[in-house]
Amino acid sequence: MTDPATDPRTDTPPGAPADHRWPTGVVGLGYGGDYNPEQWPLETQLEDVELMQQAGVNLVSVAIFAWATIEPREGEYHFDWLDDVLDRLHAAGIRVALATATASPPPWLTARHPEILPRLADGTVLWQGGRQAYSVTHPVFRRYATAMAARIAERYADHPALALWHIDNEIGCHVPRDYSDAAAAAFRDWLRARYGTVDALNDAWGTAFWSQRYGDVADVLPPFTAPTYPNPTQQLDFDRFSSDAMLDYYRDLRDAVRQHTPHVPVTTNFMTSTSTKGMDYFGWAREVDVVATDHYTVAADEEREVELALSADLTRGVARGRPWILMEHSTSAVNWQPRNRPKAPGEMLRNSLAHVARGADSVMFFQWRQSVAGAEKYHSAMVPHAGTDSEVWRGTLGLGRALEALAEVRGSRVRADVALVFDYEAWWAVELDSHPSVDVTYVDRMRAYHRELWRRGVTVDVVEPGADLTGYRLVLVPTLYLVRDEHAAAITRAAEDGATVVVTYFSGIVDEHDHVRPGGYPGAFRELLGVRTEEFAPLLAGEQVALDDGTSVSVWTEKVHLAGATAVRTLASGPLAGTPALTRRTVGSGAAWYEAARLDDVALSRLVDALLGETRVQPAAAAPPGVEVVRRHGEQHSYLFVLNHTDAEHRVPADGTDLLTGTTHQGEVPVPAWGAVVVREG
Ligand code: GAL
């Protein structure tokens, strides 16, 4: 057994906390991708290693989907090929994130044990033939999966290429909610542990309604497709349970590999983004040694670089500010969107550096070499179908050079004056059915505020409710529909201590059981905001209401009364004319704003200008529209990342050396169209 603190393979940057774990032996920034050699003949595998060396690859994820290759028939193990792959990678100086091979059970397992297959809410069985056809709660699957993880760990415990454990793959990607019998039984156990008695469960779920009272927890089912809305708290608890159950599965596999390799850090690839809500990654992050995530831009999203920035800020938040691994993204097109457009010139480099700018210390892809068979054959890779005479391969080489030039950035941290409070439970709860308006979604306001700040070059930390808000000058609380008392209190305290807090409509409405906080909305924030709402008044699809300054609102208004706050904007027309749409209250040395109606882009932009004015929060640099700026702070230097998402060259005020070209600039730095610079300052 090796002590991680003294293990020479643990390459920890200066100043990192004692429990900082990182893939062992990775020097500088990590670079690589998923490597699936089992799809290729030996001669291609030999070429792979040469090409990896050319590109500067230093870390690859291996064996993610290799179970059926390793164990084609039950009990028959073929490890020789994997031994050779790891030996070759090691000889080439490439470190390995070794997977547990459990991400897709082999056909013999599901054929022999169909009871491990997951189910949808309507009872449909999800059969073998794709991937992830397993129920994380089924004891039979758990037994086979942990045995496979342990077997791999035992075999490779002392392999010198082993740098990191990669547990399963994107747990919950295809089956975030499983309604199988095994899941139902595990749900009941989870409820017994949570509530103790059936009466406590009845109280929490409000089962006096619609004759839903349970006499015994044994009668509880998952929230199957029902004649009408299933009990909301049952649905919410099923979300909580499902996230916990998948995490429990991860933990079992983690412990299985740790037993053999306590010196090797363990991770699993999260999917932190504005479109994946199945897993509570703030909780999950406590169980990994290093946060790793996958992120894919959506080609049809015209603001995909802004969504990427928010997702990366969320990942940094989940990682609690520590460096993280971008475990997967794409060099160009994916295969799973309706129309899979390739990335534009420079987009892959900008995407990669945007993640680094926001705290990633590794840039990796799905996948190393583009498959010729299977469902992902049209998904781009670092080595495309076209081979090395291609833009994609030249991009792979270019990114390798860029990351090498940025090696010293590793371990530096991002700092922000703005916090955005983000909560998976609130996301689950606000998007339950039978609510005032289907147009109120969790990410809408979050994306809107973040976008305004992104445009102004202001960096945002995404934090969980209850996080320490000390030092943040601006605290954004978008759509925090469900909030616990102590978390609402922490937000109130931030304002009392001098922060400007902004709460958006449909926040603070329910407690952790999804019970309304009565006495006027928004219950948990009524006093802080100095308002009292007697009734919601959502708008119809496409409806707009003018405000007193000529801007407008859509989606949401409410009958809000001032109770200590001042109206900053009011509705100028409609049945609620004269009612506040935006309010402000001075609180101690801080302030509390309430967005009581969904402001249009112009109104929100004005609000954000006012917020930055009153908090004196500054951008990372004064940059023209479409030019993204973020700063990382190291022990000796800071690093200004400037990413030009426009088709014209721009200049940004900065002094220092562009690490990508080695050129020193004084006063201002030119940034080519669609290009990037990273300035070492000081
Ligand atoms: C991820 C997955 C990879 C690959 C990729 C394609 O969700 O982890 O295995 O399928 O998507 O974009």
Side-chain angles (χ1 to χ4, degrees), residues 659-681:
L659 293 176
L660 300 179
T661 60
T663 316
T664 299
H665 300 277
Q666 285 228 310
E668 54 178 24
V669 179
V671 200
W674 307 120
V677 301
V678 181
V679 185
R680 181 211 284 136
E681 303 169 310

Side-chain angles (χ1 to χ4, degrees), residues 295-416:
H295 184 268
Y296 290 91
T297 52
V298 172
D301 181 352
E302 286 178 2
E303 294 190 312
R304 53 194 178 277
E305 65 272 16
V306 189
E307 192 285 328
L308 183 157
L310 173 53
S311 295
D313 288 338
L314 169 60
T315 309
R316 187 178 68 255
V318 160
R320 296 183 175 82
R322 292 183 184 187
W324 47 276
I325 296 174
L326 177 66
M327 189 64 98
E328 285 181 25
H329 69 151
S330 68
T331 56
S332 193
V334 298
N335 64 306
W336 44 263
Q337 290 169 18
R339 288 159 206 88
N340 295 299
R341 198 164 60 172
K343 288 194 176 174
E347 191 171 354
M348 185 275 267
L349 182 74
R350 291 197 313 279
N351 287 171
S352 301
L353 296 189
H355 285 290
V356 175
R358 292 169 194 276
D361 274 2
S362 274
V363 176
M364 300 175 70
F365 292 90
F366 176 83
Q367 62 176 330
W368 163 251
R369 188 184 279 273
Q370 188 167 12
S371 302
V372 289
E376 295 186 318
K377 56 183 172 295
Y378 298 117
H379 192 295
S380 61
M382 298 170 80
V383 184
H385 287 160
T388 51
D389 185 8
S390 60
E391 277 308 304
V392 166
W393 174 249
R394 285 186 278 278
T396 300
L397 294 177
L399 177 59
R401 283 192 297 271
L403 295 177
E404 207 179 321
L406 295 180
E408 68 182 74
V409 166
R410 176 166 163 199
S412 59
R413 301 296 183 95
V414 178
R415 293 184 201 146

Side-chain angles (χ1 to χ4, degrees), residues 34 64-65 131 169-170 173-174 269 271 294 296 328-330 334-336 366 376 379:
D34 285 14
I64 294 175
F65 298 103
R131 64 174 175 187
N169 189 65
E170 288 192 347
C173 167
H174 302 300
N269 43 346
M271 296 166 278
D294 300 346
Y296 290 91
E328 285 181 25
H329 69 151
S330 68
V334 298
N335 64 306
W336 44 263
F366 176 83
E376 295 186 318
H379 192 295

